[in-house]
Amino acid sequence: MTYLENSKQYTGSDLENIFFRPMLTGESAQELGVRVLYNMPQPTHIQLWDGQRNILQKFTSAGWTGGNPATKYEKTVSLSRVKAELGFSAADYFSMVYEKITALANVNMDDLSGTELEQAETALFKQALAENIRVTMWLGNTASATGYNTFDGFLKPINSLAGDEAIYCFAYQASELADPACAVEVFDKLWTGADPRVRDLKADGQLVYFVSSDIYHLYEKYLDSKGADAAYTDAMNGRRALAYHGIPVVAVRLGSYLGATTFRQSFALLTDRRNLVLAVNTADMPGNEVRMWYNPDEMENRQRAVFMAGSEILDEALISFAYKP
């Protein structure tokens, strides 16, 4: 056998429990580094309650006064209908699926059927779909005729706000990147120039520096230059995660994608993870599905997913941004 003919379709609860929820919750969601909302009611509204006001009251001879109602802000995440589709020649598809299950024990390789086969095919599609959602979450631009244009990502409004100087931002020059200490200077300026509310949020443990690959590598070089034994060990073995003054430094891993966009190629931003929201919905739109099937006329296997997705910045003032012009 050199091709797979069994069709598979996920709808309803199977679509949620087998395909999307494992990909968008738990450790998978943490790897995205932002706040993920899955299957919130459509349209997706996020309530922001004002917890900064002084709600304590002084007792007087007249007793207590009535409290004022809490101030509520609401943000709507605009979801776009998205279709993802892949096509493989039957022989290539069989080889890729076969490779994924050869290392599994207790699998009859002469009878590729059942749950092992379904899991291998599903994992193959999940991998491609998760990467496309991640990249679009950052680089999406609905105004673009090509590329990642199914919904707007975070960098589109951030670059626009920086251009209008509507958020705290500053530029660094390419010549400055020759010195590894430039990474630390960027982090310090992002911190000191950020909205005071951002600095107050550090205790929550959700602040993060999102950086392009060059800034991430520059910070690694800066750490390598330290004379401690730990720096030598890290230079040899690598570092699983970086942080600056307790705030994680996360590479957005967009180097191979940024070149095809008009966005700034080198940047760093400081914000709270919960301020950047990715919303995915597979329940509230008729026709949402994941389907995998074999087309005998073209002798190819196809995979297709239909769902809704969108991203939103909840409070633009909680972002400080640095970039190379």
Side-chain angles (χ1 to χ4, degrees):
M1 183 171 77
T2 58
Y3 53 89
L4 302 172
E5 297 185 51
N6 294 333
S7 62
K8 298 164 190 66
Q9 182 180 16
Y10 299 132
T11 58
S13 61
D14 287 344
L15 178 64
E16 175 179 347
N17 297 326
I18 297 176
F19 198 87
F20 275 99
R21 184 169 291 279
M23 185 172 64
L24 295 169
T25 57
E27 292 184 2
S28 299
Q30 293 175 5
E31 290 175 0
L32 289 173
V34 301
R35 182 179 176 184
V36 179
L37 301 179
Y38 179 62
N39 270 1
M40 292 284 286
Q42 169 67 13
T44 301
H45 298 291
I46 302 176
Q47 314 297 336
L48 307 175
W49 296 91
D50 181 12
Q52 303 295 325
R53 293 185 302 111
N54 181 11
I55 62 173
L56 299 179
Q57 297 184 15
K58 185 177 180 179
F59 184 78
T60 67
S61 58
W64 304 108
T65 60
N68 296 322
T71 303
K72 184 187 74 171
Y73 304 95
E74 185 175 87
K75 198 94 180 222
T76 301
V77 182
S78 178
L79 297 184
S80 302
R81 194 83 184 271
V82 176
K83 184 184 82 164
E85 190 158 344
L86 286 172
F88 305 89
S89 72
D92 290 342
Y93 187 75
F94 177 83
S95 298
M96 287 187 291
V97 174
Y98 189 92
E99 180 183 356
K100 280 189 171 293
I101 60 178
T102 49
L104 298 177
N106 302 321
V107 175
N108 182 2
M109 303 307 295
D110 294 325
D111 181 20
L112 289 179
S113 60
T115 58
E116 293 86 0
L117 176 61
E118 182 174 329
Q119 290 171 358
E121 290 190 77
T122 301
L124 182 67
F125 194 23
K126 275 185 181 179
Q127 183 178 358
L129 187 58
E131 176 65 2
N132 275 258
I133 291 175
R134 184 189 73 83
V135 175
T136 308
M137 173 185 76
W138 284 104
L139 299 181
N141 184 1
T142 55
S144 176
T146 59
Y148 297 90
N149 59 2
T150 50
F151 60 91
D152 286 332
F154 302 128
L155 286 182
K156 181 179 179 180
I158 289 175
N159 276 265
S160 177
L161 291 166
D164 297 336
E165 297 185 352
I167 57 174
Y168 172 75
C169 61
F170 63 91
Y172 53 84
Q173 303 304 315
S175 58
E176 298 179 66
L177 298 179
D179 182 6
C182 174
V184 172
E185 294 174 6
V186 168
F187 297 156
D188 281 339
K189 290 184 69 174
L190 288 173
W191 171 261
T192 56
D195 189 292
R197 291 177 297 160
V198 173
R199 296 193 291 271
D200 291 342
L201 287 169
K202 184 178 181 180
D204 290 353
Q206 296 294 327
L207 292 187
V208 62
Y209 289 104
F210 287 113
V211 302
S212 53
S213 298
D214 59 336
I215 298 296
Y216 191 87
H217 178 68
L218 205 64
Y219 186 45
E220 285 185 310
K221 298 295 288 183
Y222 172 81
L223 296 176
D224 291 344
S225 67
K226 300 301 179 183
D229 292 340
Y232 173 79
T233 302
D234 287 342
M236 292 288 291
N237 301 326
R239 300 173 178 86
R240 297 191 62 179
L242 299 184
Y244 181 67
H245 290 171
I247 301 175
V249 178
V250 177
V252 292
R253 296 182 289 120
L254 298 173
S256 59
Y257 305 102
L258 276 168
T261 72
T262 58
F263 299 136
R264 296 173 174 93
Q265 307 294 296
S266 175
F267 64 87
L269 67 93
L270 171 64
T271 191
D272 189 294
R273 292 178 188 270
R274 297 165 296 187
N275 192 36
L276 305 181
V277 173
L278 169 70
V280 176
N281 190 297
T282 61
D284 293 340
M285 182 71 74
N288 288 349
E289 66 169 0
V290 168
R291 182 189 297 268
M292 293 174 276
W293 75 99
Y294 173 68
N295 183 350
D297 295 329
E298 301 291 338
M299 293 192 67
E300 69 173 5
N301 288 86
R302 300 197 69 82
Q303 300 174 320
R304 181 176 66 205
V306 179
F307 57 101
M308 291 183 292
S311 64
E312 187 65 58
I313 300 172
L314 299 185
D315 190 346
E316 293 83 357
L318 296 183
I319 291 178
S320 53
F321 186 60
Y323 60 92
K324 184 180 72 175

PDB file of all heavy atoms in Angstrom, residues 298-321:
ATOM      1  N   GLU A 298      -7.114  13.105  -8.694  1.00  0.00           N
ATOM      2  CA  GLU A 298      -5.800  13.764  -8.697  1.00  0.00           C
ATOM      3  C   GLU A 298      -4.733  12.925  -8.010  1.00  0.00           C
ATOM      4  O   GLU A 298      -3.563  13.313  -7.995  1.00  0.00           O
ATOM      5  CB  GLU A 298      -5.900  15.126  -7.992  1.00  0.00           C
ATOM      6  CG  GLU A 298      -6.890  16.085  -8.613  1.00  0.00           C
ATOM      7  CD  GLU A 298      -6.433  16.569  -9.972  1.00  0.00           C
ATOM      8  OE1 GLU A 298      -5.221  16.511 -10.249  1.00  0.00           O
ATOM      9  OE2 GLU A 298      -7.299  17.001 -10.757  1.00  0.00           O
ATOM     10  N   MET A 299      -5.142  11.798  -7.418  1.00  0.00           N
ATOM     11  CA  MET A 299      -4.246  10.943  -6.636  1.00  0.00           C
ATOM     12  C   MET A 299      -3.500  11.776  -5.593  1.00  0.00           C
ATOM     13  O   MET A 299      -2.273  11.786  -5.521  1.00  0.00           O
ATOM     14  CB  MET A 299      -3.256  10.197  -7.547  1.00  0.00           C
ATOM     15  CG  MET A 299      -3.912   9.167  -8.449  1.00  0.00           C
ATOM     16  SD  MET A 299      -2.726   8.074  -9.239  1.00  0.00           S
ATOM     17  CE  MET A 299      -2.089   7.168  -7.825  1.00  0.00           C
ATOM     18  N   GLU A 300      -4.279  12.496  -4.805  1.00  0.00           N
ATOM     19  CA  GLU A 300      -3.695  13.315  -3.749  1.00  0.00           C
ATOM     20  C   GLU A 300      -4.549  13.238  -2.494  1.00  0.00           C
ATOM     21  O   GLU A 300      -5.747  12.958  -2.562  1.00  0.00           O
ATOM     22  CB  GLU A 300      -3.533  14.772  -4.189  1.00  0.00           C
ATOM     23  CG  GLU A 300      -4.854  15.516  -4.361  1.00  0.00           C
ATOM     24  CD  GLU A 300      -4.647  16.991  -4.640  1.00  0.00           C
ATOM     25  OE1 GLU A 300      -3.493  17.426  -4.787  1.00  0.00           O
ATOM     26  OE2 GLU A 300      -5.661  17.702  -4.716  1.00  0.00           O
ATOM     27  N   ASN A 301      -3.899  13.471  -1.385  1.00  0.00           N
ATOM     28  CA  ASN A 301      -4.592  13.576  -0.096  1.00  0.00           C
ATOM     29  C   ASN A 301      -4.712  15.047   0.276  1.00  0.00           C
ATOM     30  O   ASN A 301      -3.763  15.811   0.111  1.00  0.00           O
ATOM     31  CB  ASN A 301      -3.825  12.840   1.000  1.00  0.00           C
ATOM     32  CG  ASN A 301      -3.913  11.341   0.863  1.00  0.00           C
ATOM     33  OD1 ASN A 301      -3.121  10.728   0.147  1.00  0.00           O
ATOM     34  ND2 ASN A 301      -4.887  10.731   1.535  1.00  0.00           N
ATOM     35  N   ARG A 302      -5.876  15.426   0.781  1.00  0.00           N
ATOM     36  CA  ARG A 302      -6.111  16.815   1.131  1.00  0.00           C
ATOM     37  C   ARG A 302      -6.559  16.917   2.594  1.00  0.00           C
ATOM     38  O   ARG A 302      -7.222  16.023   3.130  1.00  0.00           O
ATOM     39  CB  ARG A 302      -7.158  17.459   0.221  1.00  0.00           C
ATOM     40  CG  ARG A 302      -6.770  17.452  -1.253  1.00  0.00           C
ATOM     41  CD  ARG A 302      -7.593  18.434  -2.056  1.00  0.00           C
ATOM     42  NE  ARG A 302      -7.279  19.810  -1.716  1.00  0.00           N
ATOM     43  CZ  ARG A 302      -6.237  20.490  -2.211  1.00  0.00           C
ATOM     44  NH1 ARG A 302      -5.402  19.908  -3.056  1.00  0.00           N
ATOM     45  NH2 ARG A 302      -6.033  21.738  -1.854  1.00  0.00           N
ATOM     46  N   GLN A 303      -6.183  18.033   3.201  1.00  0.00           N
ATOM     47  CA  GLN A 303      -6.581  18.331   4.580  1.00  0.00           C
ATOM     48  C   GLN A 303      -7.165  19.737   4.594  1.00  0.00           C
ATOM     49  O   GLN A 303      -6.606  20.655   3.994  1.00  0.00           O
ATOM     50  CB  GLN A 303      -5.372  18.263   5.528  1.00  0.00           C
ATOM     51  CG  GLN A 303      -4.700  16.910   5.573  1.00  0.00           C
ATOM     52  CD  GLN A 303      -3.428  16.944   6.410  1.00  0.00           C
ATOM     53  OE1 GLN A 303      -2.664  17.898   6.355  1.00  0.00           O
ATOM     54  NE2 GLN A 303      -3.199  15.890   7.170  1.00  0.00           N
ATOM     55  N   ARG A 304      -8.281  19.912   5.297  1.00  0.00           N
ATOM     56  CA  ARG A 304      -8.943  21.217   5.306  1.00  0.00           C
ATOM     57  C   ARG A 304      -9.524  21.488   6.685  1.00  0.00           C
ATOM     58  O   ARG A 304     -10.089  20.598   7.317  1.00  0.00           O
ATOM     59  CB  ARG A 304     -10.060  21.275   4.259  1.00  0.00           C
ATOM     60  CG  ARG A 304     -10.779  22.640   4.196  1.00  0.00           C
ATOM     61  CD  ARG A 304     -11.798  22.650   3.074  1.00  0.00           C
ATOM     62  NE  ARG A 304     -12.886  21.728   3.317  1.00  0.00           N
ATOM     63  CZ  ARG A 304     -13.628  21.179   2.346  1.00  0.00           C
ATOM     64  NH1 ARG A 304     -13.360  21.459   1.077  1.00  0.00           N
ATOM     65  NH2 ARG A 304     -14.626  20.367   2.647  1.00  0.00           N
ATOM     66  N   ALA A 305      -9.389  22.740   7.127  1.00  0.00           N
ATOM     67  CA  ALA A 305      -9.987  23.180   8.394  1.00  0.00           C
ATOM     68  C   ALA A 305     -10.702  24.497   8.148  1.00  0.00           C
ATOM     69  O   ALA A 305     -10.178  25.383   7.472  1.00  0.00           O
ATOM     70  CB  ALA A 305      -8.926  23.347   9.473  1.00  0.00           C
ATOM     71  N   VAL A 306     -11.912  24.616   8.676  1.00  0.00           N
ATOM     72  CA  VAL A 306     -12.689  25.856   8.598  1.00  0.00           C
ATOM     73  C   VAL A 306     -13.059  26.258  10.023  1.00  0.00           C
ATOM     74  O   VAL A 306     -13.654  25.471  10.766  1.00  0.00           O
ATOM     75  CB  VAL A 306     -13.961  25.674   7.748  1.00  0.00           C
ATOM     76  CG1 VAL A 306     -14.751  26.980   7.708  1.00  0.00           C
ATOM     77  CG2 VAL A 306     -13.600  25.226   6.336  1.00  0.00           C
ATOM     78  N   PHE A 307     -12.688  27.477  10.409  1.00  0.00           N
ATOM     79  CA  PHE A 307     -12.946  27.950  11.763  1.00  0.00           C
ATOM     80  C   PHE A 307     -12.889  29.473  11.756  1.00  0.00           C
ATOM     81  O   PHE A 307     -12.797  30.102  10.693  1.00  0.00           O
ATOM     82  CB  PHE A 307     -11.930  27.367  12.760  1.00  0.00           C
ATOM     83  CG  PHE A 307     -10.493  27.665  12.412  1.00  0.00           C
ATOM     84  CD1 PHE A 307      -9.794  28.677  13.052  1.00  0.00           C
ATOM     85  CD2 PHE A 307      -9.823  26.919  11.447  1.00  0.00           C
ATOM     86  CE1 PHE A 307      -8.482  28.963  12.741  1.00  0.00           C
ATOM     87  CE2 PHE A 307      -8.500  27.194  11.122  1.00  0.00           C
ATOM     88  CZ  PHE A 307      -7.835  28.215  11.763  1.00  0.00           C
ATOM     89  N   MET A 308     -12.941  30.089  12.931  1.00  0.00           N
ATOM     90  CA  MET A 308     -12.839  31.544  13.045  1.00  0.00           C
ATOM     91  C   MET A 308     -11.693  31.898  13.987  1.00  0.00           C
ATOM     92  O   MET A 308     -11.441  31.182  14.971  1.00  0.00           O
ATOM     93  CB  MET A 308     -14.146  32.144  13.562  1.00  0.00           C
ATOM     94  CG  MET A 308     -15.292  32.057  12.584  1.00  0.00           C
ATOM     95  SD  MET A 308     -16.782  32.855  13.227  1.00  0.00           S
ATOM     96  CE  MET A 308     -17.202  31.748  14.560  1.00  0.00           C
ATOM     97  N   ALA A 309     -11.003  32.997  13.668  1.00  0.00           N
ATOM     98  CA  ALA A 309      -9.875  33.416  14.501  1.00  0.00           C
ATOM     99  C   ALA A 309      -9.718  34.926  14.418  1.00  0.00           C
ATOM    100  O   ALA A 309     -10.130  35.564  13.441  1.00  0.00           O
ATOM    101  CB  ALA A 309      -8.590  32.714  14.073  1.00  0.00           C
ATOM    102  N   GLY A 310      -9.119  35.489  15.433  1.00  0.00           N
ATOM    103  CA  GLY A 310      -8.845  36.927  15.461  1.00  0.00           C
ATOM    104  C   GLY A 310      -7.914  37.243  16.608  1.00  0.00           C
ATOM    105  O   GLY A 310      -7.738  36.447  17.533  1.00  0.00           O
ATOM    106  N   SER A 311      -7.288  38.410  16.566  1.00  0.00           N
ATOM    107  CA  SER A 311      -6.400  38.838  17.643  1.00  0.00           C
ATOM    108  C   SER A 311      -6.721  40.281  17.995  1.00  0.00           C
ATOM    109  O   SER A 311      -7.262  41.029  17.175  1.00  0.00           O
ATOM    110  CB  SER A 311      -4.929  38.696  17.233  1.00  0.00           C
ATOM    111  OG  SER A 311      -4.622  39.549  16.145  1.00  0.00           O
ATOM    112  N   GLU A 312      -6.375  40.677  19.216  1.00  0.00           N
ATOM    113  CA  GLU A 312      -6.708  42.019  19.681  1.00  0.00           C
ATOM    114  C   GLU A 312      -5.737  42.437  20.776  1.00  0.00           C
ATOM    115  O   GLU A 312      -5.298  41.603  21.579  1.00  0.00           O
ATOM    116  CB  GLU A 312      -8.139  42.052  20.222  1.00  0.00           C
ATOM    117  CG  GLU A 312      -8.650  43.430  20.575  1.00  0.00           C
ATOM    118  CD  GLU A 312      -8.776  44.322  19.355  1.00  0.00           C
ATOM    119  OE1 GLU A 312      -9.499  43.950  18.408  1.00  0.00           O
ATOM    120  OE2 GLU A 312      -8.128  45.385  19.358  1.00  0.00           O
ATOM    121  N   ILE A 313      -5.387  43.724  20.784  1.00  0.00           N
ATOM    122  CA  ILE A 313      -4.638  44.322  21.881  1.00  0.00           C
ATOM    123  C   ILE A 313      -5.654  44.999  22.792  1.00  0.00           C
ATOM    124  O   ILE A 313      -6.407  45.867  22.350  1.00  0.00           O
ATOM    125  CB  ILE A 313      -3.614  45.343  21.362  1.00  0.00           C
ATOM    126  CG1 ILE A 313      -2.609  44.665  20.420  1.00  0.00           C
ATOM    127  CG2 ILE A 313      -2.880  46.009  22.530  1.00  0.00           C
ATOM    128  CD1 ILE A 313      -1.683  45.637  19.720  1.00  0.00           C
ATOM    129  N   LEU A 314      -5.691  44.608  24.048  1.00  0.00           N
ATOM    130  CA  LEU A 314      -6.732  45.117  24.935  1.00  0.00           C
ATOM    131  C   LEU A 314      -6.492  46.574  25.323  1.00  0.00           C
ATOM    132  O   LEU A 314      -7.411  47.383  25.321  1.00  0.00           O
ATOM    133  CB  LEU A 314      -6.820  44.248  26.191  1.00  0.00           C
ATOM    134  CG  LEU A 314      -7.171  42.766  25.966  1.00  0.00           C
ATOM    135  CD1 LEU A 314      -7.344  42.057  27.288  1.00  0.00           C
ATOM    136  CD2 LEU A 314      -8.433  42.629  25.120  1.00  0.00           C
ATOM    137  N   ASP A 315      -5.263  46.909  25.667  1.00  0.00           N
ATOM    138  CA  ASP A 315      -4.949  48.278  26.088  1.00  0.00           C
ATOM    139  C   ASP A 315      -3.622  48.680  25.462  1.00  0.00           C
ATOM    140  O   ASP A 315      -2.556  48.241  25.897  1.00  0.00           O
ATOM    141  CB  ASP A 315      -4.885  48.367  27.618  1.00  0.00           C
ATOM    142  CG  ASP A 315      -4.793  49.811  28.116  1.00  0.00           C
ATOM    143  OD1 ASP A 315      -4.508  50.710  27.297  1.00  0.00           O
ATOM    144  OD2 ASP A 315      -5.000  50.037  29.323  1.00  0.00           O
ATOM    145  N   GLU A 316      -3.687  49.515  24.427  1.00  0.00           N
ATOM    146  CA  GLU A 316      -2.486  49.910  23.700  1.00  0.00           C
ATOM    147  C   GLU A 316      -1.502  50.673  24.583  1.00  0.00           C
ATOM    148  O   GLU A 316      -0.290  50.643  24.348  1.00  0.00           O
ATOM    149  CB  GLU A 316      -2.846  50.767  22.482  1.00  0.00           C
ATOM    150  CG  GLU A 316      -3.594  50.042  21.380  1.00  0.00           C
ATOM    151  CD  GLU A 316      -5.096  49.965  21.636  1.00  0.00           C
ATOM    152  OE1 GLU A 316      -5.533  50.438  22.712  1.00  0.00           O
ATOM    153  OE2 GLU A 316      -5.811  49.426  20.766  1.00  0.00           O
ATOM    154  N   ALA A 317      -2.014  51.355  25.617  1.00  0.00           N
ATOM    155  CA  ALA A 317      -1.143  52.135  26.491  1.00  0.00           C
ATOM    156  C   ALA A 317      -0.203  51.254  27.306  1.00  0.00           C
ATOM    157  O   ALA A 317       0.793  51.745  27.849  1.00  0.00           O
ATOM    158  CB  ALA A 317      -1.974  53.011  27.422  1.00  0.00           C
ATOM    159  N   LEU A 318      -0.493  49.968  27.405  1.00  0.00           N
ATOM    160  CA  LEU A 318       0.343  49.048  28.175  1.00  0.00           C
ATOM    161  C   LEU A 318       1.444  48.441  27.325  1.00  0.00           C
ATOM    162  O   LEU A 318       2.011  47.401  27.687  1.00  0.00           O
ATOM    163  CB  LEU A 318      -0.520  47.937  28.792  1.00  0.00           C
ATOM    164  CG  LEU A 318      -1.566  48.380  29.811  1.00  0.00           C
ATOM    165  CD1 LEU A 318      -2.290  47.175  30.385  1.00  0.00           C
ATOM    166  CD2 LEU A 318      -0.945  49.214  30.918  1.00  0.00           C
ATOM    167  N   ILE A 319       1.758  49.047  26.199  1.00  0.00           N
ATOM    168  CA  ILE A 319       2.818  48.561  25.312  1.00  0.00           C
ATOM    169  C   ILE A 319       3.882  49.634  25.164  1.00  0.00           C
ATOM    170  O   ILE A 319       3.579  50.793  24.908  1.00  0.00           O
ATOM    171  CB  ILE A 319       2.262  48.190  23.922  1.00  0.00           C
ATOM    172  CG1 ILE A 319       1.381  46.940  24.020  1.00  0.00           C
ATOM    173  CG2 ILE A 319       3.391  47.953  22.928  1.00  0.00           C
ATOM    174  CD1 ILE A 319       0.751  46.530  22.719  1.00  0.00           C
ATOM    175  N   SER A 320       5.132  49.250  25.354  1.00  0.00           N
ATOM    176  CA  SER A 320       6.258  50.109  24.980  1.00  0.00           C
ATOM    177  C   SER A 320       7.049  49.363  23.902  1.00  0.00           C
ATOM    178  O   SER A 320       7.222  48.148  23.974  1.00  0.00           O
ATOM    179  CB  SER A 320       7.132  50.451  26.185  1.00  0.00           C
ATOM    180  OG  SER A 320       7.538  49.286  26.891  1.00  0.00           O
ATOM    181  N   PHE A 321       7.521  50.105  22.907  1.00  0.00           N
ATOM    182  CA  PHE A 321       7.992  49.489  21.667  1.00  0.00           C
ATOM    183  C   PHE A 321       9.299  50.129  21.230  1.00  0.00           C
ATOM    184  O   PHE A 321       9.452  51.352  21.253  1.00  0.00           O
ATOM    185  CB  PHE A 321       6.920  49.681  20.587  1.00  0.00           C
ATOM    186  CG  PHE A 321       7.185  48.982  19.284  1.00  0.00           C
ATOM    187  CD1 PHE A 321       7.317  47.604  19.216  1.00  0.00           C
ATOM    188  CD2 PHE A 321       7.300  49.719  18.103  1.00  0.00           C
ATOM    189  CE1 PHE A 321       7.538  46.961  18.011  1.00  0.00           C
ATOM    190  CE2 PHE A 321       7.522  49.087  16.899  1.00  0.00           C
ATOM    191  CZ  PHE A 321       7.632  47.708  16.845  1.00  0.00           C
TER     192      PHE A 321
END
